[in-house]
Amino acid sequence: MNGHRLATAAVVLGLLGSLTTSAWADPDPHHDHRAAPAHRPTRVASAPGATTALSGYTIQSTAKVSAPASDVSSSGYPATGWYSAGPRSTVLAALLANGVYADPFYSTNQQKIPRADFEVPWWYRSDFTVADTSERTYLDFSGVISAADVYVNGKQVATTTDVTGAYTDHELDVTSLVRSGANTVAFRIQPNDPNKNLTMGWIDWLQPPPDENMGIVRDVLVRRGGPVALRDAHVVTKLDVPSLASADLTVKAQARNDSGTPATTTVSGSIGTTTFEKNVTLAAHETKTVTFTPSDVSGLHLAAPKVWWPAGMGGQPLYDLKLSASVSGSVSDTAHQTFGIRDVQAPLNSDGARQYRINGRKLLIKGGGWSPDEFLRWDRSYVEDRLKYALDLGLNTIRLEGHLEPDEFFDLADRYGILTLPGWECCDKWEGQVNGSETGDKWTAADYPVAKASMAAEAARLRDHPSVISFLIGSDFAPDATIEKNYLDALKAADWPTPVVAAASDNSSPQLGSSGMKMTGPYDWIPPNYWYAKREGGATGFNSETSAGPDIPTFDTLRRMMTPAELDTLWKNPDAKQYHRSPSSTFGTLKLYDDALNGRYGAPTSLADYVRKAQLAQYENVRAQFEAYERNATDSSKPSTGVVYWMFNSGWTSLHWQLMDRYLDQGGAYFGAKKANEPLHVQYSYDDRSVAVVNNRHSAASGLTARATLFNPDGTQKYDKTVTGVKVSGDGAHSTALTLPASVTGLSTTYLARLTLTDASGKEVSRNVYWLSTKPDTLDWANTDWYYTPTTSYADLKGLSAMAQVPVSATASTDSSGGTATTTVTVRNTGSGKTPSLLTDVHLVDAQGKPVLPVQWSDNEVGLWPGETATLTATYRTADLHGSVPRVRVSGWNTPEQTVPAG
């Protein structure tokens, strides 16, 4: 995130009057906003090595609690009038679940929530039961925002000095306080300020939550064990590259004697069929690192290891490490860790750009910036749905700038083969020491150990996940020498296995040197031809965050998030402040975007016209962004090595930075990305008019036929060329099939280009339709700002408005099996003239006409010439129909809307 944004940020936190609720303002379907169930005591398992997550809390503002902490944290305290909260919950998330406030994703409802309610500490109280006290008991947790005093059964066990920072990990031995039967733990959570605390903030992504996410957002675990504890279990892998023929595994763990007398423990373990064992003698309260290496255990040298690959490059096999520590023949503790075997390298190329290699093979990082739910509500299915969308889009990487998700997120990334780039965030306390006068307080002496402890905790948590391919210890700015050393010391101590990157921007740190990345924008509208220039944010090097800014959602979603009056303003007034864009004054309006939309496509005549033009514009721009980076990935000079779309998704109902919207609906941005990233792809180049074939598969392709045809908007053909015998190497290589002429007789100012690619059998494997102009967009490079490059004249695409309406017929049928439904749709241009149907969109809807989401389409928003058909499939959960019969709604740029049954 470019730090300059925050210098102009203007966050509006005033209260508004009453608002009219739209019929479309239904709550987020992935979260239950009804009153949370009353918290019941958590039954803690007694087996040595067992970990039990607290099942939830009751919470209340300290302003409403007069009892002393000793009473609040004792069993039997009458928490009358307190609110129920889940096991991972911010204060505001709990209040929303209890129905205290209206849907904050609708209109400006969030502004009505009084910020003052969250400027005092809040109590989190939870009861748990222990069957016996023969085992030791520990509280193990992280994810406290921003700090907490901790009490167990009326006694304080930690202070806010001890428990501070969202990422620091804490283990409290509470054995002496825990009794058989009922027990109570209470956290007095301090308010959060991302500029003052090493926690989490929202920068300019969305309107920040009034509580600033104060609360507990990860599980609090109750651990049981005997006298010797096992901690920090992990596996260091070394894969032979490039042969991949063998791998060496080194198993490490800490054995800790928590008793007051010496102990001898037997640490035994297994990975698959390989077993190992070692006796360790420990003095009272002594900790030793226990290590098993291939020289100790021959089975830890693997021949023909099962290698983990990113999706599309191979499989995602995982291994399991199981450990136990026994004392006097009885199990004292156990540990389990899942890991993958893969090799990650990311050297700088000759141009100074970071080039990732996985298992010895280069790959272009194609990613998106991740946002969690604004209120940090964890929903596994919702996260899984978005990761599946990433694969559907042909992306291979997710970047997490701060907001480092719970363990399950990385488990899912491992399973699906999605690479992740976690790192610290910009524009708040995390970079306050090094970002000059920008937002974020300077560090005090107390901050350095918190930051180092945060790094150590996250390194230990993430190191065994094969999906994690780096850690970015800086975002907009690189750390100074002291901070960098603390981070690197923590990473080294944790046996961090992958490259560490100094910053997401073009900055350097003393030990690591150059980041090899750039953060040159853009973040707001620029034309599609921008991406082909090998300068600024164009397709060269590794661009860690970039897009053309606004991504207007579908009409369906807009009606769910804005009032009729707000929707009226949306299309009529480009200068209007848009609450659902950003708190930053730089991104407060849609003026740059709207000016371009009007200048290129013509002024909108209605909200519907505005939305359809937006989808067309977003399709062409997102497609061009990914296509440019893909075409340039194997260039000999200044190749592109990585691009992260800013952003993949939004944490709330947004008008910018998202490839899909909050409700997982898909529009032009989504399908433009999906088209650009298809495995074997034919594309037009805005810089030199070449038609290139890009092969994202590993194996080469040959015997291909590429065809390019140019049409006036009325469908009159003006140019046609076919090239046979096209071949292209694999792993992202491209070849140029032909180049379109600079001028074509009779071609109108606005025209259409249809590209097709067929294989040796004549089967069409890629189709791509462009809307272009003989008058190009002209960029004012000399006046480039940090967030965009001005456009001095626009391409003339107004001719599209004159396209005749074209009828498209549709037939659909649905099959269901095992909870999954597949709807097959055949669309056909039945027009009698020459005019094609442009951006023909098919939406799966229920009986009320609402979109069925999430859904994965084989293709969508297609162009059809008269007589042409396309067969599309939609896959989704049968349960998401909620008992309704599926229907298919067909519309398009110049296609009348119709809905047909799909049962």
Side-chain angles (χ1 to χ4, degrees), residues 392 619 666 671 674-675 678 764 767 808-815 821-829 837 839-844 855-864 868-876 887-892 900 902:
D392 184 52
Y619 188 106
Q666 307 147 321
F671 291 113
K674 180 177 171 68
K675 176 58 64 176
E678 62 187 356
E764 186 174 282
R767 163 184 284 236
V808 173
S809 67
T811 57
S813 62
T814 300
D815 293 316
T822 300
T823 294
T824 302
V825 186
T826 299
V827 287
R828 178 182 176 87
N829 181 334
S837 63
L839 212 75
T840 306
D841 178 87
V842 184
H843 251 71
L844 188 75
V855 61
Q856 290 194 18
W857 287 94
S858 58
D859 195 6
N860 211 326
E861 299 195 341
V862 296
L864 295 171
E868 287 186 335
T869 64
T871 299
L872 315 174
T873 58
T875 305
Y876 52 98
R887 294 156 60 90
V888 168
R889 185 179 69 207
V890 180
S891 61
V900 299

Side-chain angles (χ1 to χ4, degrees), residues 141-193:
F141 59 92
S142 62
V144 173
I145 302 177
S146 66
D149 296 297
V150 187
Y151 299 81
V152 173
N153 290 339
K155 303 294 184 182
Q156 187 166 14
V157 294
T159 69
T160 55
T161 302
D162 306 313
V163 179
T164 184
Y167 299 105
T168 53
D169 187 64
H170 309 278
E171 184 179 41
L172 307 177
D173 190 334
V174 295
T175 303
S176 64
L177 297 176
V178 169
R179 51 184 174 251
S180 296
N183 296 269
T184 298
V185 58
F187 295 81
R188 186 163 53 202
I189 306 291
Q190 296 298 309
N192 184 40
D193 183 342

Side-chain angles (χ1 to χ4, degrees), residues 711-718 748 752 799 802-804 833-836:
F711 303 86
N712 286 343
D714 65 0
T716 304
Q717 182 175 309
K718 293 298 178 181
S748 58
L752 302 175
M803 292 179 71
K834 298 180 179 180
T835 307

